[in-house]
Amino acid sequence: MKVGDKHYHTIWMEGRVVYMIDQNLLPFEFHIKRCENYESTCEAIRRMTVRGAGAIGAAAGFAMAQALAGSTNPDIAREHIRATRPTARDLFYAVDRVYEAGKVSVQNALDEAQNLAIANVEAAKKIGTYGETMIKDEARILTHCNAGWLGFVDYGSALSPIYTARRNGKKLHVYADETRPRSQGARLTAWELANEGVDHTIVPDNAGAFLMSKGMIDLVITGADRIAANGDVANKIGTYEKAILAKHFGIPFFVAAPLSTFDHNTADGSAIEIEHRSQDEVHYQTGPDENGQMHTIRVTNPGSEALNPAFDVTPAALITGFITENGVIN
Ligand code: MRU
């Protein structure tokens, strides 16, 4: 990933310390957060300092390795890590893999956690190569939330084909849904696209039908947090309505995700646990004033209640294809 002129990793572990880009401070401040033990890595997942299915998978694997290296009871640590966030499959996949590796030795667990993060990078690169073939020159692409190199280690899932197409000389324009309430699209995707030099526009979450009806979108690509055995997809809240719109307007709707996001033990989307987050995320917004001073302000009617489901489930029938590291599944 490119931040200015420098290449960074989304998250990494050196010795027993985990380092990550602090995604809560972006795009206003670039800061690397240090997590010395598994409890602080768990806290970083819960607070969304690190977020996005693949990145929290890598973080969870590192946390499990930190717990084993710190002689924490592995069963207690595993449950603690699994309780940080419920929806993304990669988190559970990584914890269980590192937990099993730890039965051999602590070193084996540390190696497994590193290997999982590397596998994440390799899968995302291949998703870029396969997904790029879906993108025509001059394509106008709509994406939701952030499934870029902040959300999936170093390359991204939904944005990886876009970066590959751009590097191969294709001209593109990306419309980034702002993705209320945490604004991962407006803050993170827009920041990534700017760093990669990709033409883009931030659009309100409710602009999809307008853009599609005006013929302004050729393709939709999103990521996924968990894909059930029948192909139903849990992804950031608002994905479902974009898929309905795409079907209505006859626009291809692709989901980019590695095989670690496919959950064969979940028959269909109704069995996927949907995270509900604090209503304060709907009521309050944080950003800098013209002097760079950060402020949190209320943006909703004081006293009103808000509901904040973090994900929805898009039925498989609305999805044109899955872009994976093994190719495109229609
Ligand atoms: O709540 P988040 O920001 O961790 O949401 C997960 C996501 O980033 C998206 O749903 C994304 O499309 C999944 S893949 C990075």
Side-chain angles (χ1 to χ4, degrees), residues 198-239:
V198 177
D199 280 349
H200 64 280
T201 309
I202 300 164
V203 290
D205 286 326
N206 41 11
F210 174 83
L211 297 176
M212 292 184 193
S213 70
K214 297 288 178 198
M216 293 167 70
I217 305 293
D218 301 307
L219 179 69
V220 183
I221 313 180
T222 74
D225 288 83
R226 190 180 291 257
I227 302 171
N230 73 338
D232 292 350
V233 169
N235 194 52
K236 182 52 56 190
I237 190 81
T239 304

Side-chain angles (χ1 to χ4, degrees), residues 23 45 48 50-56 85 88 90 143-148 150-152 156-158 179 182 184 188 222-226 234-237 239 256-258 261 275 277 310-311:
Q23 300 193 35
I45 298 171
M48 293 176 68
V50 59
R51 51 140 297 283
I56 61 175
R85 294 193 70 191
D90 289 73
T143 191
H144 193 69
C145 194
N146 173 263
L150 291 166
F152 244 95
S157 50
T179 320
R182 292 188 64 98
Q184 290 97 327
L188 305 178
T222 74
D225 288 83
R226 190 180 291 257
N235 194 52
K236 182 52 56 190
I237 190 81
T239 304
T261 306
E275 177 181 17
R277 294 187 63 86
F311 301 94

